[in-house]
Amino acid sequence: MNVLVTGGSGYIGSHTVVELMTAGHEAIIVDDLSNSKECVVSRIASICGRKPSFYRINCTDAGKLARVFVENDIDAVIHFAGYKAVGESVTTPLAYYRNNIDSTLTLLEVMEAYGCKKLVFSSSATVYGPENPHPYREDMPAIQSASPYGWTKVMIERILTDYCTSKPDFCAVLLRYFNPIGSHTSGLLGDDPNGIPNNLMPYIARVAAGQLEKLTIFGNDYRTPDGTCQRDYLHVVDLAVGHLKALEYAQDHEGVEAFNLGTGKGISVLELVKAFETANSISLPYVIGPRRAGDLPAFWADASKAKNILGWEAKLSVEDMCRSAWSFASSS
Ligand code: UFG
């Protein structure tokens, strides 16, 4: 299959491109490099032994996106492209709504113009909002979020649902990710955000590398076993494999379907810190700070739907996640 991967040089996108190419598909990356680097494309080539096609394009540019469809016989699209920093989305909501919603609408219009009817969308557990009890199940209302970033995911899920109603032969698979961490075993790809990381694992990695002085754990007075927040951390390579399964599913299905991609287990911040220290024989300086606004105490996935319908489940351990994250951070 020829698969267009928007945001394909980003963290999850690049790992997914590797899995696609390893499985024998052709990947065509569209990315504006607003939060990734072009060297990722040659790193993918050294892992896979061949280069994916690459277009430096923002997906809101319909003319340039159409050219990609003209030059490549696109069978399906995996749509990652979008801004993704929760805190930044609170200070610049218009940029988030404009970019994330507009790029999806433009992509759908171009897909329609070129008769492409299979889409896998990069959604998030954030759509379950603060009201649902965990573990989150796909049949719970997924219509809430705490940030403009999260609302773009809710809105895009809605847009795709309405689009599928209007086009019964279109298939949109909504993948609701929990907390992906870790890196490819080659150490060539990983989570490498610009500036000071917001997310836990890249922050831990920079502390371990001595680039940041210490980790601040945001609160230890939550009603959880050790007082720190619990999340469902999953290995990014497992997550990437989930996209292949979703693509296979989309080939012989129509309509919209959502799947959680998580392990089904909650891990606390302190447990992850300890796991990182043990896996890498590193001592990690940390302090306990105040709670971060907007954090939920705990949530994880009910991952049974993906297992039963897609035949996907997370296989890699927390130790694998911590080792590979450090292997990437210490070599880049
Ligand atoms: N944390 C710290 N210190 C840090 C960074 C994070 O203690 O320096 C804690 C947070 O308080 C939280 C946990 O580590 O308890 C995980 O935080 P992340 O920022 O790594 O991840 P979140 O769960 O907040 O956010 C993730 C995704 C979002 C998504 C959200 C909800 O990054 O895209 O889950 O699904 F919207």
Side-chain angles (χ1 to χ4, degrees), residues 1-9 13-31 44 50-55 65 68-69 71-80 107 111 116-121 175 240 242-251:
M1 251 193 288
N2 292 336
V3 185
L4 171 63
V5 186
T6 75
S9 52
S14 59
H15 286 84
T16 301
V17 168
V18 166
E19 295 306 317
L20 279 172
M21 292 178 69
T22 308
H25 300 295
E26 293 307 319
I28 298 97
I29 297 176
V30 160
D31 200 305
I44 292 170
R50 63 200 162 96
K51 217 172 175 183
S53 305
F54 174 74
Y55 293 84
L65 203 53
V68 178
F69 279 77
E71 290 176 6
N72 303 274
D73 191 11
I74 305 288
D75 299 302
V77 178
I78 305 181
H79 181 38
F80 293 103
L107 174 66
M111 286 177 73
C116 183
K117 294 174 180 158
K118 306 292 176 189
L119 178 72
V120 175
F121 174 60
L175 296 181
H243 291 75
L244 262 71
K245 299 285 187 187
L247 216 49
E248 282 166 22
Y249 172 90
Q251 290 320 298

Side-chain angles (χ1 to χ4, degrees), residues 69-259:
F69 279 77
V70 170
E71 290 176 6
N72 303 274
D73 191 11
I74 305 288
D75 299 302
V77 178
I78 305 181
H79 181 38
F80 293 103
Y83 297 158
K84 62 169 191 174
V86 175
E88 184 184 66
S89 77
V90 176
T91 51
T92 57
L94 295 186
Y96 272 69
Y97 287 116
R98 169 63 68 195
N99 186 62
N100 293 5
I101 306 287
D102 203 356
S103 60
T104 307
L105 291 173
T106 306
L107 174 66
L108 286 172
E109 286 165 355
V110 175
M111 286 177 73
E112 184 170 311
Y114 291 90
C116 183
K117 294 174 180 158
K118 306 292 176 189
L119 178 72
V120 175
F121 174 60
S122 163
S123 191
S124 164
T126 192
V127 299
Y128 290 108
E131 303 297 335
N132 285 305
H134 58 265
Y136 294 151
R137 282 193 328 267
E138 293 86 346
D139 59 1
M140 290 172 172
I143 49 170
Q144 282 267 333
S145 193
S147 69
Y149 155 78
W151 276 109
T152 68
K153 296 295 182 190
V154 172
M155 289 174 183
I156 293 168
E157 287 203 357
R158 180 76 242 165
I159 289 166
L160 292 173
T161 304
D162 290 344
Y163 186 66
C164 286
T165 304
S166 76
K167 300 270 171 203
D169 58 348
F170 192 91
C171 182
V173 182
L174 315 175
L175 296 181
R176 296 178 181 155
Y177 311 151
F178 284 70
N179 287 57
I181 57 172
S183 305
H184 190 261
T185 44
S186 62
L188 292 173
L189 302 175
D191 195 1
D192 188 17
N194 295 330
I196 296 181
N198 297 303
N199 295 121
L200 181 59
M201 184 53 94
Y203 202 103
I204 287 177
R206 293 217 186 149
V207 172
Q211 293 163 8
L212 292 168
E213 188 195 340
K214 58 180 182 302
L215 171 73
T216 300
I217 294 180
F218 298 139
N220 68 347
D221 57 351
Y222 287 96
R223 292 179 65 176
T224 58
D226 64 20
T228 66
C229 294
Q230 293 170 300
R231 294 288 182 272
D232 184 340
Y233 297 97
L234 79 158
H235 200 297
V236 68
V237 171
D238 276 332
L239 182 60
V241 172
H243 291 75
L244 262 71
K245 299 285 187 187
L247 216 49
E248 282 166 22
Y249 172 90
Q251 290 320 298
D252 48 14
H253 288 83
E254 289 160 350
V256 67
E257 203 66 50
F259 295 95

